[in-house]
PDB file of all heavy atoms in Angstrom:
ATOM      1  N   GLU A   1      30.851 -56.818  80.264  1.00 96.00           N
ATOM      2  CA  GLU A   1      32.080 -56.877  79.539  1.00 96.00           C
ATOM      3  C   GLU A   1      32.827 -55.451  79.772  1.00 96.00           C
ATOM      4  O   GLU A   1      32.246 -54.524  79.805  1.00 96.00           O
ATOM      5  CB  GLU A   1      31.663 -56.907  78.006  1.00 96.00           C
ATOM      6  CG  GLU A   1      32.850 -57.239  77.118  1.00 96.00           C
ATOM      7  CD  GLU A   1      33.637 -56.066  76.725  1.00 96.00           C
ATOM      8  OE1 GLU A   1      32.928 -54.938  76.570  1.00 96.00           O
ATOM      9  OE2 GLU A   1      34.819 -56.119  76.586  1.00 96.00           O
ATOM     10  N   VAL A   2      34.126 -55.762  80.156  1.00 97.00           N
ATOM     11  CA  VAL A   2      34.932 -54.703  80.851  1.00 97.00           C
ATOM     12  C   VAL A   2      35.083 -53.539  79.932  1.00 97.00           C
ATOM     13  O   VAL A   2      34.835 -52.429  80.402  1.00 97.00           O
ATOM     14  CB  VAL A   2      36.373 -55.205  81.263  1.00 97.00           C
ATOM     15  CG1 VAL A   2      37.244 -54.057  81.657  1.00 97.00           C
ATOM     16  CG2 VAL A   2      36.260 -56.263  82.289  1.00 97.00           C
ATOM     17  N   GLU A   3      35.479 -53.723  78.612  1.00 96.00           N
ATOM     18  CA  GLU A   3      35.725 -52.516  77.828  1.00 96.00           C
ATOM     19  C   GLU A   3      34.476 -51.661  77.646  1.00 96.00           C
ATOM     20  O   GLU A   3      34.556 -50.429  77.682  1.00 96.00           O
ATOM     21  CB  GLU A   3      36.315 -52.993  76.394  1.00 96.00           C
ATOM     22  CG  GLU A   3      37.807 -53.306  76.490  1.00 96.00           C
ATOM     23  CD  GLU A   3      38.131 -54.599  77.109  1.00 96.00           C
ATOM     24  OE1 GLU A   3      37.185 -55.422  77.377  1.00 96.00           O
ATOM     25  OE2 GLU A   3      39.243 -54.769  77.602  1.00 96.00           O
ATOM     26  N   THR A   4      33.391 -52.423  77.449  1.00 97.00           N
ATOM     27  CA  THR A   4      32.048 -51.629  77.241  1.00 97.00           C
ATOM     28  C   THR A   4      31.672 -50.881  78.645  1.00 97.00           C
ATOM     29  O   THR A   4      31.348 -49.687  78.522  1.00 97.00           O
ATOM     30  CB  THR A   4      30.963 -52.505  76.848  1.00 97.00           C
ATOM     31  OG1 THR A   4      31.329 -53.085  75.663  1.00 97.00           O
ATOM     32  CG2 THR A   4      29.694 -51.748  76.715  1.00 97.00           C
ATOM     33  N   TRP A   5      31.961 -51.529  79.585  1.00 98.00           N
ATOM     34  CA  TRP A   5      31.571 -50.977  81.001  1.00 98.00           C
ATOM     35  C   TRP A   5      32.525 -49.695  81.109  1.00 98.00           C
ATOM     36  O   TRP A   5      32.024 -48.784  81.535  1.00 98.00           O
ATOM     37  CB  TRP A   5      31.884 -51.922  82.070  1.00 98.00           C
ATOM     38  CG  TRP A   5      31.422 -51.469  83.382  1.00 98.00           C
ATOM     39  CD1 TRP A   5      30.197 -51.517  84.024  1.00 98.00           C
ATOM     40  CD2 TRP A   5      32.301 -50.596  84.309  1.00 98.00           C
ATOM     41  NE1 TRP A   5      30.194 -50.799  85.220  1.00 98.00           N
ATOM     42  CE2 TRP A   5      31.532 -50.362  85.493  1.00 98.00           C
ATOM     43  CE3 TRP A   5      33.494 -50.291  84.201  1.00 98.00           C
ATOM     44  CZ2 TRP A   5      31.919 -49.675  86.430  1.00 98.00           C
ATOM     45  CZ3 TRP A   5      34.168 -49.576  85.299  1.00 98.00           C
ATOM     46  CH2 TRP A   5      33.336 -49.157  86.432  1.00 98.00           C
ATOM     47  N   VAL A   6      33.845 -49.792  80.755  1.00 98.00           N
ATOM     48  CA  VAL A   6      34.744 -48.705  81.077  1.00 98.00           C
ATOM     49  C   VAL A   6      34.302 -47.512  80.214  1.00 98.00           C
ATOM     50  O   VAL A   6      34.291 -46.352  80.699  1.00 98.00           O
ATOM     51  CB  VAL A   6      36.190 -49.024  80.818  1.00 98.00           C
ATOM     52  CG1 VAL A   6      37.017 -47.892  80.865  1.00 98.00           C
ATOM     53  CG2 VAL A   6      36.634 -50.083  81.866  1.00 98.00           C
ATOM     54  N   ARG A   7      33.945 -47.683  78.923  1.00 97.00           N
ATOM     55  CA  ARG A   7      33.464 -46.621  78.138  1.00 97.00           C
ATOM     56  C   ARG A   7      32.247 -45.921  78.777  1.00 97.00           C
ATOM     57  O   ARG A   7      32.243 -44.690  78.866  1.00 97.00           O
ATOM     58  CB  ARG A   7      33.064 -47.050  76.687  1.00 97.00           C
ATOM     59  CG  ARG A   7      32.719 -45.945  75.742  1.00 97.00           C
ATOM     60  CD  ARG A   7      31.832 -46.604  74.705  1.00 97.00           C
ATOM     61  NE  ARG A   7      30.498 -47.076  75.148  1.00 97.00           N
ATOM     62  CZ  ARG A   7      29.675 -47.785  74.619  1.00 97.00           C
ATOM     63  NH1 ARG A   7      29.932 -48.190  73.372  1.00 97.00           N
ATOM     64  NH2 ARG A   7      28.559 -48.135  75.192  1.00 97.00           N
ATOM     65  N   ASP A   8      31.216 -46.682  79.205  1.00 97.00           N
ATOM     66  CA  ASP A   8      30.120 -46.144  79.787  1.00 97.00           C
ATOM     67  C   ASP A   8      30.546 -45.338  81.174  1.00 97.00           C
ATOM     68  O   ASP A   8      29.970 -44.361  81.448  1.00 97.00           O
ATOM     69  CB  ASP A   8      29.030 -47.269  80.121  1.00 97.00           C
ATOM     70  CG  ASP A   8      28.514 -47.820  78.882  1.00 97.00           C
ATOM     71  OD1 ASP A   8      28.604 -47.355  77.694  1.00 97.00           O
ATOM     72  OD2 ASP A   8      27.897 -48.940  78.963  1.00 97.00           O
ATOM     73  N   TYR A   9      31.345 -45.954  81.873  1.00 98.00           N
ATOM     74  CA  TYR A   9      31.795 -45.342  83.135  1.00 98.00           C
ATOM     75  C   TYR A   9      32.432 -43.993  82.952  1.00 98.00           C
ATOM     76  O   TYR A   9      32.167 -42.939  83.594  1.00 98.00           O
ATOM     77  CB  TYR A   9      32.875 -46.203  83.840  1.00 98.00           C
ATOM     78  CG  TYR A   9      33.688 -45.515  84.918  1.00 98.00           C
ATOM     79  CD1 TYR A   9      33.245 -45.475  86.126  1.00 98.00           C
ATOM     80  CD2 TYR A   9      34.999 -44.885  84.557  1.00 98.00           C
ATOM     81  CE1 TYR A   9      33.948 -44.810  87.191  1.00 98.00           C
ATOM     82  CE2 TYR A   9      35.599 -44.177  85.558  1.00 98.00           C
ATOM     83  CZ  TYR A   9      35.069 -44.207  86.866  1.00 98.00           C
ATOM     84  OH  TYR A   9      35.816 -43.583  87.829  1.00 98.00           O
ATOM     85  N   ALA A  10      33.200 -43.881  81.843  1.00 98.00           N
ATOM     86  CA  ALA A  10      33.929 -42.571  81.433  1.00 98.00           C
ATOM     87  C   ALA A  10      32.905 -41.573  81.202  1.00 98.00           C
ATOM     88  O   ALA A  10      32.890 -40.320  81.627  1.00 98.00           O
ATOM     89  CB  ALA A  10      34.926 -42.724  80.397  1.00 98.00           C
ATOM     90  N   TRP A  11      31.838 -41.949  80.261  1.00 97.00           N
ATOM     91  CA  TRP A  11      30.820 -40.974  79.891  1.00 97.00           C
ATOM     92  C   TRP A  11      29.967 -40.565  81.149  1.00 97.00           C
ATOM     93  O   TRP A  11      29.523 -39.382  81.253  1.00 97.00           O
ATOM     94  CB  TRP A  11      29.938 -41.569  78.763  1.00 97.00           C
ATOM     95  CG  TRP A  11      30.721 -41.817  77.539  1.00 97.00           C
ATOM     96  CD1 TRP A  11      32.135 -41.530  77.292  1.00 97.00           C
ATOM     97  CD2 TRP A  11      30.254 -42.200  76.304  1.00 97.00           C
ATOM     98  NE1 TRP A  11      32.437 -41.853  76.066  1.00 97.00           N
ATOM     99  CE2 TRP A  11      31.279 -42.419  75.383  1.00 97.00           C
ATOM    100  CE3 TRP A  11      28.860 -42.638  75.919  1.00 97.00           C
ATOM    101  CZ2 TRP A  11      31.068 -42.784  74.040  1.00 97.00           C
ATOM    102  CZ3 TRP A  11      28.768 -43.208  74.492  1.00 97.00           C
ATOM    103  CH2 TRP A  11      29.892 -43.187  73.653  1.00 97.00           C
ATOM    104  N   GLN A  12      29.723 -41.514  81.980  1.00 97.00           N
ATOM    105  CA  GLN A  12      28.921 -41.129  83.198  1.00 97.00           C
ATOM    106  C   GLN A  12      29.589 -40.276  84.031  1.00 97.00           C
ATOM    107  O   GLN A  12      29.113 -39.232  84.669  1.00 97.00           O
ATOM    108  CB  GLN A  12      28.414 -42.341  83.921  1.00 97.00           C
ATOM    109  CG  GLN A  12      27.541 -43.273  83.084  1.00 97.00           C
ATOM    110  CD  GLN A  12      27.610 -44.749  83.702  1.00 97.00           C
ATOM    111  OE1 GLN A  12      28.372 -45.097  84.766  1.00 97.00           O
ATOM    112  NE2 GLN A  12      26.852 -45.767  83.093  1.00 97.00           N
ATOM    113  N   ARG A  13      30.929 -40.626  84.295  1.00 97.00           N
ATOM    114  CA  ARG A  13      31.815 -39.820  85.276  1.00 97.00           C
ATOM    115  C   ARG A  13      31.888 -38.440  84.803  1.00 97.00           C
ATOM    116  O   ARG A  13      31.858 -37.519  85.627  1.00 97.00           O
ATOM    117  CB  ARG A  13      33.099 -40.505  85.292  1.00 97.00           C
ATOM    118  CG  ARG A  13      34.097 -39.821  86.204  1.00 97.00           C
ATOM    119  CD  ARG A  13      35.109 -40.765  86.750  1.00 97.00           C
ATOM    120  NE  ARG A  13      36.202 -40.065  87.459  1.00 97.00           N
ATOM    121  CZ  ARG A  13      35.996 -39.684  88.744  1.00 97.00           C
ATOM    122  NH1 ARG A  13      34.959 -39.810  89.332  1.00 97.00           N
ATOM    123  NH2 ARG A  13      37.065 -39.037  89.416  1.00 97.00           N
ATOM    124  N   TYR A  14      32.008 -38.145  83.502  1.00 96.00           N
ATOM    125  CA  TYR A  14      32.300 -36.749  83.107  1.00 96.00           C
ATOM    126  C   TYR A  14      30.980 -36.245  82.589  1.00 96.00           C
ATOM    127  O   TYR A  14      31.074 -35.038  82.052  1.00 96.00           O
ATOM    128  CB  TYR A  14      33.322 -36.745  81.988  1.00 96.00           C
ATOM    129  CG  TYR A  14      34.609 -37.439  82.241  1.00 96.00           C
ATOM    130  CD1 TYR A  14      35.313 -38.161  81.441  1.00 96.00           C
ATOM    131  CD2 TYR A  14      35.169 -37.362  83.625  1.00 96.00           C
ATOM    132  CE1 TYR A  14      36.510 -38.850  81.772  1.00 96.00           C
ATOM    133  CE2 TYR A  14      36.366 -37.937  83.940  1.00 96.00           C
ATOM    134  CZ  TYR A  14      36.990 -38.714  83.086  1.00 96.00           C
ATOM    135  OH  TYR A  14      38.113 -39.305  83.457  1.00 96.00           O
ATOM    136  N   ASP A  15      29.872 -36.793  82.804  1.00 94.00           N
ATOM    137  CA  ASP A  15      28.547 -36.230  82.613  1.00 94.00           C
ATOM    138  C   ASP A  15      28.407 -35.849  81.054  1.00 94.00           C
ATOM    139  O   ASP A  15      28.186 -34.664  80.688  1.00 94.00           O
ATOM    140  CB  ASP A  15      28.258 -35.084  83.463  1.00 94.00           C
ATOM    141  CG  ASP A  15      26.706 -34.798  83.409  1.00 94.00           C
ATOM    142  OD1 ASP A  15      25.872 -35.565  82.904  1.00 94.00           O
ATOM    143  OD2 ASP A  15      26.404 -33.682  83.889  1.00 94.00           O
ATOM    144  N   LEU A  16      28.738 -36.866  80.190  1.00 95.00           N
ATOM    145  CA  LEU A  16      28.829 -36.537  78.731  1.00 95.00           C
ATOM    146  C   LEU A  16      27.649 -37.096  77.951  1.00 95.00           C
ATOM    147  O   LEU A  16      27.648 -36.997  76.724  1.00 95.00           O
ATOM    148  CB  LEU A  16      30.221 -37.342  78.159  1.00 95.00           C
ATOM    149  CG  LEU A  16      31.467 -36.809  78.768  1.00 95.00           C
ATOM    150  CD1 LEU A  16      32.530 -37.562  78.138  1.00 95.00           C
ATOM    151  CD2 LEU A  16      31.739 -35.424  78.674  1.00 95.00           C
ATOM    152  N   ALA A  17      26.574 -37.327  78.533  1.00 91.00           N
ATOM    153  CA  ALA A  17      25.333 -37.852  77.878  1.00 91.00           C
ATOM    154  C   ALA A  17      24.816 -36.832  76.795  1.00 91.00           C
ATOM    155  O   ALA A  17      24.585 -37.197  75.613  1.00 91.00           O
ATOM    156  CB  ALA A  17      24.164 -37.955  78.850  1.00 91.00           C
ATOM    157  N   ASP A  18      25.047 -35.576  77.041  1.00 90.00           N
ATOM    158  CA  ASP A  18      24.632 -34.570  75.989  1.00 90.00           C
ATOM    159  C   ASP A  18      25.849 -33.851  75.487  1.00 90.00           C
ATOM    160  O   ASP A  18      25.661 -32.708  74.688  1.00 90.00           O
ATOM    161  CB  ASP A  18      23.679 -33.564  76.550  1.00 90.00           C
ATOM    162  CG  ASP A  18      22.387 -34.143  77.165  1.00 90.00           C
ATOM    163  OD1 ASP A  18      21.942 -35.096  76.411  1.00 90.00           O
ATOM    164  OD2 ASP A  18      21.894 -33.873  78.175  1.00 90.00           O
ATOM    165  N   ALA A  19      27.015 -34.270  75.724  1.00 94.00           N
ATOM    166  CA  ALA A  19      28.218 -33.675  75.159  1.00 94.00           C
ATOM    167  C   ALA A  19      28.390 -33.961  73.674  1.00 94.00           C
ATOM    168  O   ALA A  19      28.019 -35.002  73.101  1.00 94.00           O
ATOM    169  CB  ALA A  19      29.498 -34.162  75.939  1.00 94.00           C
ATOM    170  N   PRO A  20      29.232 -33.130  72.947  1.00 95.00           N
ATOM    171  CA  PRO A  20      29.545 -33.376  71.442  1.00 95.00           C
ATOM    172  C   PRO A  20      30.275 -34.752  71.285  1.00 95.00           C
ATOM    173  O   PRO A  20      31.040 -35.109  72.221  1.00 95.00           O
ATOM    174  CB  PRO A  20      30.321 -32.270  71.059  1.00 95.00           C
ATOM    175  CG  PRO A  20      30.887 -31.712  72.328  1.00 95.00           C
ATOM    176  CD  PRO A  20      29.889 -31.892  73.404  1.00 95.00           C
ATOM    177  N   PRO A  21      30.268 -35.359  70.286  1.00 96.00           N
ATOM    178  CA  PRO A  21      30.792 -36.637  70.023  1.00 96.00           C
ATOM    179  C   PRO A  21      32.498 -36.497  70.116  1.00 96.00           C
ATOM    180  O   PRO A  21      33.039 -37.533  70.671  1.00 96.00           O
ATOM    181  CB  PRO A  21      30.592 -36.974  68.567  1.00 96.00           C
ATOM    182  CG  PRO A  21      29.240 -36.325  68.231  1.00 96.00           C
ATOM    183  CD  PRO A  21      29.360 -34.985  69.070  1.00 96.00           C
ATOM    184  N   SER A  22      33.033 -35.386  69.860  1.00 97.00           N
ATOM    185  CA  SER A  22      34.486 -35.264  70.054  1.00 97.00           C
ATOM    186  C   SER A  22      34.858 -35.396  71.591  1.00 97.00           C
ATOM    187  O   SER A  22      35.875 -35.961  71.928  1.00 97.00           O
ATOM    188  CB  SER A  22      34.870 -33.805  69.591  1.00 97.00           C
ATOM    189  OG  SER A  22      34.137 -32.820  70.084  1.00 97.00           O
ATOM    190  N   ALA A  23      34.021 -34.852  72.490  1.00 97.00           N
ATOM    191  CA  ALA A  23      34.224 -35.077  73.895  1.00 97.00           C
ATOM    192  C   ALA A  23      34.204 -36.595  74.344  1.00 97.00           C
ATOM    193  O   ALA A  23      34.964 -36.990  75.053  1.00 97.00           O
ATOM    194  CB  ALA A  23      33.267 -34.212  74.752  1.00 97.00           C
ATOM    195  N   LYS A  24      33.179 -37.177  73.934  1.00 97.00           N
ATOM    196  CA  LYS A  24      33.008 -38.578  74.180  1.00 97.00           C
ATOM    197  C   LYS A  24      34.212 -39.430  73.557  1.00 97.00           C
ATOM    198  O   LYS A  24      34.680 -40.321  74.358  1.00 97.00           O
ATOM    199  CB  LYS A  24      31.639 -39.168  73.729  1.00 97.00           C
ATOM    200  CG  LYS A  24      30.469 -38.604  74.350  1.00 97.00           C
ATOM    201  CD  LYS A  24      29.087 -39.090  73.713  1.00 97.00           C
ATOM    202  CE  LYS A  24      27.972 -38.557  74.424  1.00 97.00           C
ATOM    203  NZ  LYS A  24      26.713 -39.067  73.680  1.00 97.00           N
ATOM    204  N   ASP A  25      34.599 -39.144  72.344  1.00 98.00           N
ATOM    205  CA  ASP A  25      35.640 -39.845  71.821  1.00 98.00           C
ATOM    206  C   ASP A  25      36.855 -39.573  72.481  1.00 98.00           C
ATOM    207  O   ASP A  25      37.717 -40.492  72.821  1.00 98.00           O
ATOM    208  CB  ASP A  25      35.922 -39.317  70.331  1.00 98.00           C
ATOM    209  CG  ASP A  25      34.809 -39.783  69.413  1.00 98.00           C
ATOM    210  OD1 ASP A  25      33.970 -40.691  69.766  1.00 98.00           O
ATOM    211  OD2 ASP A  25      34.664 -39.230  68.281  1.00 98.00           O
ATOM    212  N   ALA A  26      37.220 -38.248  73.030  1.00 98.00           N
ATOM    213  CA  ALA A  26      38.389 -38.149  73.818  1.00 98.00           C
ATOM    214  C   ALA A  26      38.361 -38.880  75.130  1.00 98.00           C
ATOM    215  O   ALA A  26      39.346 -39.387  75.587  1.00 98.00           O
ATOM    216  CB  ALA A  26      38.596 -36.506  74.057  1.00 98.00           C
ATOM    217  N   ALA A  27      37.194 -38.859  75.792  1.00 98.00           N
ATOM    218  CA  ALA A  27      37.137 -39.606  77.051  1.00 98.00           C
ATOM    219  C   ALA A  27      37.378 -41.089  76.760  1.00 98.00           C
ATOM    220  O   ALA A  27      38.052 -41.771  77.570  1.00 98.00           O
ATOM    221  CB  ALA A  27      35.710 -39.430  77.656  1.00 98.00           C
ATOM    222  N   SER A  28      36.837 -41.693  75.642  1.00 98.00           N
ATOM    223  CA  SER A  28      36.983 -43.073  75.467  1.00 98.00           C
ATOM    224  C   SER A  28      38.413 -43.435  75.181  1.00 98.00           C
ATOM    225  O   SER A  28      38.989 -44.369  75.589  1.00 98.00           O
ATOM    226  CB  SER A  28      36.199 -43.431  74.287  1.00 98.00           C
ATOM    227  OG  SER A  28      34.793 -43.323  74.525  1.00 98.00           O
TER     228      SER A  28
END
């Protein structure tokens, strides 16, 4: 599903697995 895939892509691309929620929210 595109929107879910894009969110995961952004987090993977910026290596946000262990980043604070605010960083993940900004990327999303």
Side-chain angles (χ1 to χ4, degrees):
E1 190 275 324
V2 173
E3 280 71 21
T4 302
W5 184 92
V6 169
R7 182 206 64 193
D8 293 344
Y9 166 86
W11 293 3
Q12 293 161 4
R13 178 156 174 75
Y14 307 139
D15 197 9
L16 300 180
D18 299 320
S22 54
K24 293 179 178 178
D25 288 345
S28 296

